[in-house]
Amino acid sequence: MNDFKRDIAIGLMFFIGILGFIAGEFVVSTVMFAAATIFTNIAVNRSLQS
């Protein structure tokens, strides 16, 4: 996955998390925020190692 697609995926997860939080779906928002955090950490660690 190239950088642009990864950034779009992380942004969408974060946006869905915000929408879920506003709608009161706290489980959905928590999962989306956690997934965005994990994918961001993976992307940062890969860029630091290479």
Side-chain angles (χ1 to χ4, degrees):
M1 184 180 290
N2 61 17
D3 291 335
F4 181 70
K5 288 182 182 179
R6 187 180 321 125
D7 289 342
I8 294 294
I10 292 170
L12 282 174
M13 283 186 274
F14 187 72
F15 185 70
I16 292 169
I18 291 173
L19 289 179
F21 185 78
I22 290 171
E25 296 291 333
F26 299 114
V27 173
V28 172
S29 65
T30 303
V31 169
M32 288 294 112
F33 287 139
T37 303
I38 290 169
F39 284 127
T40 301
N41 286 333
I42 290 171
V44 168
N45 287 335
R46 281 187 183 172
S47 67
L48 291 176
Q49 290 178 356
S50 55

